[in-house]
Amino acid sequence: MLLRLPALLSWGLRCGSAAAPQRLVLKRKFSGGMEEEAKRKAGYMAVDNHVQNNQALGIGSGSTIVYAVNRIAKRVRDENLKIVCVPTSFQARQLILQHQLTLSDLDRHPELDVAIDGADEVDSDLNLIKGGGGCLTQEKIVAGCAKEFIVVADYRKDSKSLGEKWKRGVPIEVIPMAYVPVTKAIAAKFGGAAELRMAANKAGPVVTDNGNFILDWKFNNISDWKNVNVSIKMIPGVVETGLFIDMAERVYFGLEDGSVCFRDRHSH
């Protein structure tokens, strides 16, 4: 019974439910590390609710996923779970190996039970912007191979509409020789401005794990994301966009008060 108790307590509350009134009182408890605590709790709850024995898991990228992988590794040790992990990036691969989890790939496991990943922004319909860390193509491939795509985030990523809080634009992975034509085509078709992402600690552009460049498209007044996503992908030279439309089944948000809420697709 003791092993089962955390799982019974882990379901949390639907977003917007009764925990909110205590938020102001409890906020001080997490000052300084509030965001990290929110990420940790969201990551732990997602793992506790969706990871089971004999699964093939997709492991996403980014800071929130570090906590999820910590939790997976602990449960593998404590419960002797038999799982394999497919990474979405070099970072995710290293996390899997550091925690001595079983590393696999889509050649051996093309059908995944669950993929767990973070997001840069989540709108009210569970559409996502991803790719702030540059791994959008592999993240989308892995998510697309999963029966269930689960997202973990902190309260800062929750928006009514995309672009409300995330101001760095939609990441778009492009073939290097095409980045100028793609930049011009996006601006001509949809407005805004697409800029080549430059590296912080080296001269020149960011290069993805696939050897491509990334454009960050800062958009204006877009609402029909499904058609915009398809149209951008049809531009020659575009590899993938950071728009994850109708893909997430559930998003867990770690809140400022230390609680976690979740929102399901089409449940609102």
Side-chain angles (χ1 to χ4, degrees):
M1 285 301 295
L2 290 176
L3 283 175
R4 294 178 61 82
L5 189 57
L8 291 172
L9 295 175
S10 67
W11 281 104
L13 298 161
R14 289 194 180 275
C15 292
S17 57
Q22 298 182 33
R23 192 175 305 176
L24 291 175
V25 177
L26 296 173
K27 184 184 287 189
R28 295 191 188 95
K29 192 184 294 184
F30 298 108
S31 60
M34 195 189 299
E35 292 88 357
E36 293 306 311
E37 183 69 4
K39 291 177 184 179
R40 183 183 72 81
K41 291 198 171 184
Y44 276 32
M45 187 174 289
V47 169
D48 287 350
N49 287 344
H50 299 278
V51 173
Q52 300 173 18
N53 196 23
N54 298 315
Q55 283 184 329
L57 304 178
I59 302 297
S61 308
S63 58
T64 309
I65 296 305
V66 173
Y67 296 109
V69 175
N70 287 342
R71 187 63 169 179
I72 291 168
K74 186 176 189 310
R75 287 193 58 203
V76 166
R77 291 193 305 270
D78 293 350
E79 302 171 40
N80 196 29
L81 299 182
K82 301 292 187 287
I83 60 170
V84 297
C85 299
V86 174
T88 60
S89 64
F90 182 81
Q91 178 225 7
R93 181 180 184 276
Q94 295 305 101
L95 269 177
I96 292 165
L97 293 175
Q98 285 166 15
H99 287 83
Q100 299 181 325
L101 296 168
T102 303
L103 180 69
S104 190
D105 52 44
L106 293 177
D107 292 347
R108 285 173 284 186
H109 292 92
E111 295 181 2
L112 304 174
D113 296 290
V114 181
I116 301 177
D117 208 342
D120 298 311
E121 190 170 34
V122 183
D123 76 5
S124 58
D125 294 317
L126 264 57
N127 295 318
L128 318 174
I129 291 178
K130 288 177 52 55
C135 307
L136 56 149
T137 298
Q138 290 172 231
E139 288 172 345
K140 193 177 278 190
I141 292 168
V142 169
C145 290
K147 297 173 188 172
E148 194 176 39
F149 178 40
I150 303 300
V151 174
V152 290
D154 64 75
Y155 54 90
R156 300 170 301 167
K157 310 300 176 65
D158 189 9
S159 296
K160 288 183 179 178
S161 57
L162 297 181
E164 178 185 316
K165 295 180 180 176
W166 179 254
K167 303 299 184 184
R168 289 164 53 185
V170 175
I172 299 166
E173 185 162 345
V174 297
I175 301 295
M177 69 172 286
Y179 86 89
V180 172
V182 171
T183 298
K184 292 180 178 297
I186 290 172
K189 288 185 177 183
F190 308 108
E195 301 172 354
L196 183 64
R197 187 184 298 182
M198 303 304 288
N201 296 312
K202 80 173 198 50
V206 169
V207 178
T208 70
D209 287 0
N210 308 309
N212 297 318
F213 292 169
I214 291 181
L215 302 176
D216 290 302
W217 172 46
K218 295 175 182 174
F219 53 87
N220 297 311
N221 302 319
I222 302 292
S223 57
D224 188 359
W225 284 113
K226 184 175 288 189
N227 285 329
V228 168
N229 181 50
V230 171
S231 296
I232 292 175
K233 288 190 67 170
M234 292 300 292
I235 299 171
V238 171
V239 177
E240 190 52 86
T241 80
L243 292 166
F244 284 52
I245 310 300
D246 290 335
M247 294 186 72
E249 293 295 328
R250 173 177 285 184
V251 180
Y252 288 89
F253 293 102
L255 303 179
E256 294 163 281
D257 65 2
S259 67
V260 178
C261 73
F262 63 86
R263 192 159 68 241
D264 290 329
R265 191 172 7 142
H266 308 313
S267 67
H268 43 276

